[in-house]
Amino acid sequence: MPDPVITAAASQIATCRATGQVPVIRTFFDIPTFTATHVVHDPATRTAAIVDSVMDYDPASGRTDPAFAQEIVDYVTAEKLKVEWILETHVHADHLSAAPWLQERVGGKLGIGDAIIRVQGIFGRLFNAGTRFARDGSQFDHLFHDGAQFRLGTLPVTAMHVPGHTPADMAYVIGDAAFIGDTLFMPDYGTARADFPGGDARMLYHSIRRLLSLPDETRVFLCHDYKAPGRDDYVWETTIGAERRHNVHVHEGVDEETFVNMRTARDATLSLPNLIMPSVQVNMRGGNLPEPEDNGVSYIKIPVNQA
């Protein structure tokens, strides 16, 4: 049975390419966290979205650094863009979101997938966040459901739920370009891990197959790159066709069981991201620090000997 969300997104991509209604995309790459932040705008109206922003953080000193996020502000200002959306593809475990800091300076509504509520439940319990931490997604301005359609200026946008890396992963198809978060990496590097709480390798496989049902010519923008062996440069743009034919983990012909076995075995060898403790606690709050304690200071919790 045809997937109506894929059908709608594919039609959108074909129409936008045929009419030349495509977004302008500028990517900023944060080397300390290997994260690509994309600023997407409609050339007709200069309406913009910022996808997967970064607030750098030094865990040794407990200090945030907005220098990278300031580059985004400088670009938006220089290009006279009107930021309408700050979009998160998921609750990141490897970097802090700069969304609230950016909102103060360039505006925009903060959006994420509606399965954030499940993620908040999982990590709210894990970090014993208490009753002051709302688990209803209210830290975000808008929660997107699978298949939600909206516009960025004159550009059509389709939101797609692509869980597996986390329960709440979303891809945003803006014009002819898909912003897919951590679901896939460059074809020579493979796929995202699926071993965080709420992650699921089998679910990830189905989400990837869903993305790979988009037209070959769909431009794909990734959230991370780690430079595959033999490659010297960071790269964050590819196509659905290239992923389908050449992705080392999940190219055409790789079946579900083969992928799940590979992904499960590989994940068992991976260490946790360096910034997972602060990142999850901040990002599940929409990029805000935990509530200050009675001395006015916010604290990051680290579970000890957590089962």
Side-chain angles (χ1 to χ4, degrees):
M1 184 175 181
D3 182 330
V5 177
I6 292 295
T7 299
S11 175
Q12 168 189 311
I13 291 163
T15 299
C16 288
R17 290 183 67 84
T19 60
Q21 192 181 23
V22 298
V24 175
I25 301 162
R26 169 70 185 274
T27 299
F28 297 81
F29 194 77
D30 182 61
I31 293 177
T33 63
F34 308 102
T35 303
T37 295
H38 310 288
V39 182
V40 192
H41 80 262
D42 170 24
T45 64
R46 308 202 74 73
T47 304
I50 301 169
V51 183
D52 290 335
S53 64
V54 177
M55 174 65 70
D56 280 320
Y57 175 79
D58 176 22
S61 65
R63 293 192 175 276
T64 58
D65 180 358
F68 178 78
Q70 183 62 52
E71 294 182 36
I72 309 296
V73 173
D74 293 344
Y75 173 75
V76 165
T77 302
E79 295 296 317
K80 297 181 171 57
L81 303 180
K82 298 171 287 187
V83 176
E84 185 169 323
W85 287 102
I86 297 176
L87 300 174
E88 301 287 357
T89 56
H90 62 292
V91 169
H92 306 276
D94 41 31
H95 69 271
L96 277 63
S97 168
W101 190 90
L102 289 169
Q103 283 183 301
E104 290 180 1
R105 288 154 181 82
V106 297
K109 301 184 291 290
L110 177 58
I112 199 168
D114 57 8
I116 180 62
I117 295 169
R118 183 181 171 202
V119 173
Q120 289 177 329
I122 292 169
F123 286 110
R125 289 189 298 274
L126 179 63
F127 291 106
N128 196 30
T131 57
R132 295 172 71 187
F133 170 53
R135 295 160 170 82
D136 58 2
S138 58
Q139 300 88 345
F140 299 84
D141 298 312
H142 190 84
L143 305 183
F144 293 103
H145 63 268
D146 184 43
Q149 294 184 316
F150 59 104
R151 287 193 171 268
L152 183 67
T154 63
L155 295 172
V157 185
T158 300
M160 294 175 54
H161 186 211
V162 287
H165 173 60
T166 79
D169 281 64
M170 294 295 289
Y172 303 97
V173 182
I174 304 176
D176 71 328
F179 299 84
I180 65 170
D182 288 11
T183 307
L184 288 165
F185 298 135
M186 288 300 293
D188 60 358
Y189 200 86
T191 58
R193 66 194 297 169
D195 60 328
F196 295 149
D200 185 281
R202 199 169 298 279
M203 191 177 294
L204 179 61
Y205 179 84
H206 288 285
S207 292
I208 290 170
R209 287 298 171 208
R210 196 179 193 211
L211 285 169
L212 296 183
S213 297
L214 292 171
D216 272 9
E217 62 271 18
T218 306
R219 292 188 288 163
V220 174
F221 290 83
L222 312 175
C223 186
H224 296 289
D225 186 52
Y226 302 100
K227 289 200 287 193
R231 176 157 55 81
D232 295 328
D233 299 320
Y234 293 111
V235 187
W236 46 79
E237 180 180 355
T238 181
T239 66
I240 288 295
E243 292 282 14
R244 185 186 298 116
R245 290 186 292 272
H246 304 300
N247 188 285
V248 294
H249 290 168
V250 71
H251 55 77
E252 287 178 318
V254 175
D255 64 27
E256 182 175 341
E257 292 305 321
T258 299
F259 175 80
V260 170
N261 291 337
M262 177 281 300
R263 189 68 266 169
T264 302
R266 184 178 175 86
D267 288 349
T269 70
L270 300 177
S271 58
L272 291 176
N274 292 335
L275 296 181
I276 188 170
M277 296 299 174
S279 295
V280 171
Q281 292 176 74
V282 169
N283 296 338
M284 71 183 186
R285 293 175 166 88
N288 293 293
L289 295 173
E291 288 279 348
E293 298 194 8
D294 55 12
N295 61 354
V297 177
S298 294
Y299 291 85
I300 298 296
K301 291 183 177 181
I302 300 178
V304 177
N305 296 328
Q306 176 72 34

